[in-house]
Amino acid sequence: MKKIVLSLVAAALLSACSNSVEKMQTANDTYQNSDREIPSFSPLASGGVTLPQADPTYELPQLNAKKERVDIRPPSTPLAIIKNSLTQFDGERALIVYTDAQAELYNLKQIERLLKEEGTNSTLNGAVLISDWAPTGRADDKANTEIRYKIEQVTAQDASALAVSVEQMRRDGVIYTPNQADKQRYASDRLNRFVAALTNAYNKQQQDLNNASVGPFQSGLITDTNGRMALGMDASFGQAWQRLGSALPKLGFKATSESAGRGYRELKYKPLDKQEWLRLGVNPPNLEKGVYQMQISAVGKQSAVVITDEDGKTLPNEAAQSLYSALSVLLAQ
């Protein structure tokens, strides 16, 4: 008997905890009694006495009010995930303000990369990025609800800020205007997810750097997701970062500044003698003396490096091929 009772209780709990979207968004009742008819009263028996007529001025009208389901989900708020940051929702935008030094990690280029990894294209125009239509990413939303986000980066003397707002919303292909609660909910959620993803990626890279065991590994020429020639490496981010730091000076590249969290180094190049390149089995690249940039990207246990000029433009194919081939030889030693 006890087993039967327990089974019935468990079934009741499972049915009560249904995860349907409607039950996530709305309460079981509408908090309205508009469907209840206004009571009417029969006249009293007067016993032959003429009673005064009721004044119709104060009669309550019979209304057939339309029921509306009330969204019970509380609006989200921007979270101060970044150390020493401030957050707020100003009525249209969810903002997070942080120190200028942290802008190397939290910026529109990184947001653009995150969106691309999610399969969402975007358009970057100066300090404003507009995303294409993307799912909300919430389990408590109705199907086919999509949003176009507007992400802005504001830079002041000692601080920077990221601001996310809802540019447009649509459901089943029909564009509609979100209310204030929806603007806050979706803008704040998106900002929090952006910042959390960048923070987690940075922490993982730092951990990889600390735990990386340096040793030789294989590498070869590839084409990265942006269509540029790159050096693909069978190594984690941390291994690639450390090994490139020791290999690049042997090719005439000296690091002048670097950001391990971003996988970025600024390099100053001084051409080597032709014999130095020939010892590595490659012809010297036709590179001018000056400033260059190195950027590592990593996916799982593999990574890739791209070297560009001072303006971020790709190197000529012949020069890039010679440079990457020489790096490949040094990384395998």
Side-chain angles (χ1 to χ4, degrees):
M1 185 65 182
K2 289 184 178 179
K3 291 183 178 179
I4 296 174
V5 173
L6 289 175
S7 299
L8 292 174
V9 172
L13 286 174
L14 288 174
S15 62
C17 297
S18 172
N19 60 352
S20 69
V21 172
E22 290 295 333
K23 290 190 177 181
M24 290 181 183
Q25 292 187 358
T26 58
N28 293 331
D29 58 72
T30 61
Y31 302 100
Q32 295 184 18
N33 292 321
S34 57
D35 56 338
R36 187 177 298 173
E37 294 184 358
I38 298 174
S40 58
F41 301 96
S42 300
L44 298 173
S46 63
V49 178
T50 302
L51 298 176
Q53 296 293 323
D55 189 346
T57 304
Y58 302 103
E59 286 185 1
L60 297 176
Q62 295 285 345
L63 298 176
N64 294 322
K66 183 181 178 182
K67 283 187 179 181
E68 293 185 2
R69 299 187 70 87
V70 179
D71 193 336
I72 62 172
R73 295 177 295 168
S76 302
T77 57
L79 301 177
I81 301 174
I82 305 173
K83 185 178 181 181
N84 299 325
S85 62
L86 299 173
T87 60
Q88 73 169 18
F89 178 76
D90 66 2
E92 291 290 334
R93 304 176 301 170
L95 302 103
I96 185 166
V97 183
Y98 44 88
T99 62
D100 189 52
Q102 294 168 311
E104 292 185 352
L105 175 60
Y106 305 100
N107 55 64
L108 291 184
K109 282 292 185 182
Q110 297 287 356
I111 299 294
E112 185 180 33
R113 176 183 60 80
L114 285 180
L115 288 172
K116 193 168 185 178
E117 290 177 355
E118 295 175 5
T120 302
N121 293 324
S122 57
T123 303
L124 179 59
N125 185 9
V128 178
L129 185 147
I130 304 294
S131 76
D132 286 353
W133 292 106
T136 64
R138 291 179 62 110
D140 56 2
D141 267 322
K142 295 180 180 178
N144 302 321
T145 302
E146 297 176 302
I147 302 178
R148 292 181 70 227
Y149 295 95
K150 179 179 180 181
I151 303 100
E152 303 170 83
Q153 184 175 12
V154 182
T155 303
Q157 183 176 359
D158 298 320
S160 292
L162 281 177
V164 177
S165 57
V166 175
E167 185 77 356
Q168 285 180 310
M169 288 190 71
R170 71 181 182 187
R171 184 174 293 122
D172 295 325
V174 179
I175 296 177
Y176 66 95
T177 302
N179 56 35
Q180 187 74 7
D182 281 346
K183 289 180 180 180
Q184 180 174 347
R185 178 178 296 114
Y186 295 114
S188 300
D189 278 357
R190 202 51 161 135
L191 176 65
N192 293 339
R193 280 190 284 144
F194 279 144
V195 176
L198 293 175
T199 302
N200 291 337
Y202 173 79
N203 291 337
K204 185 179 183 303
Q205 288 181 351
Q206 291 295 99
Q207 186 177 6
D208 289 344
L209 284 174
N210 295 332
N211 299 333
S213 57
V214 181
F217 51 78
Q218 299 299 314
S219 57
L221 295 176
I222 63 169
T223 300
D224 69 2
T225 55
N226 295 316
R228 302 174 299 181
M229 184 183 295
L231 182 65
M233 298 169 287
D234 188 16
S236 67
F237 172 85
Q239 292 171 324
W241 175 263
Q242 292 196 28
R243 289 283 289 157
L244 286 170
S246 59
L248 284 168
K250 298 178 181 178
L251 300 179
F253 292 92
K254 179 181 179 182
T256 56
S257 65
E258 61 183 36
S259 174
R262 293 174 54 204
Y264 169 84
R265 282 190 177 103
E266 185 177 271
L267 307 170
K268 187 175 182 180
Y269 176 65
K270 181 179 180 182
L272 301 177
D273 293 337
K274 184 177 180 180
Q275 296 299 322
E276 298 292 333
W277 293 96
L278 293 178
R279 289 193 184 96
L280 298 173
V282 299
N283 292 319
N286 186 19
L287 294 177
E288 297 181 356
K289 180 180 180 180
V291 177
Y292 292 83
Q293 300 176 3
M294 181 208 83
Q295 180 68 60
I296 299 178
S297 58
V299 178
K301 295 183 179 180
Q302 295 183 323
S303 53
V305 63
V306 174
I307 296 178
T308 59
D309 64 13
E310 186 177 6
D311 299 322
K313 297 180 180 178
T314 56
L315 303 179
N317 284 342
E318 291 185 4
Q321 187 169 358
S322 295
L323 176 57
Y324 294 147
S325 297
L327 269 178
S328 181
V329 172
L330 292 174
L331 295 175
Q333 294 177 353

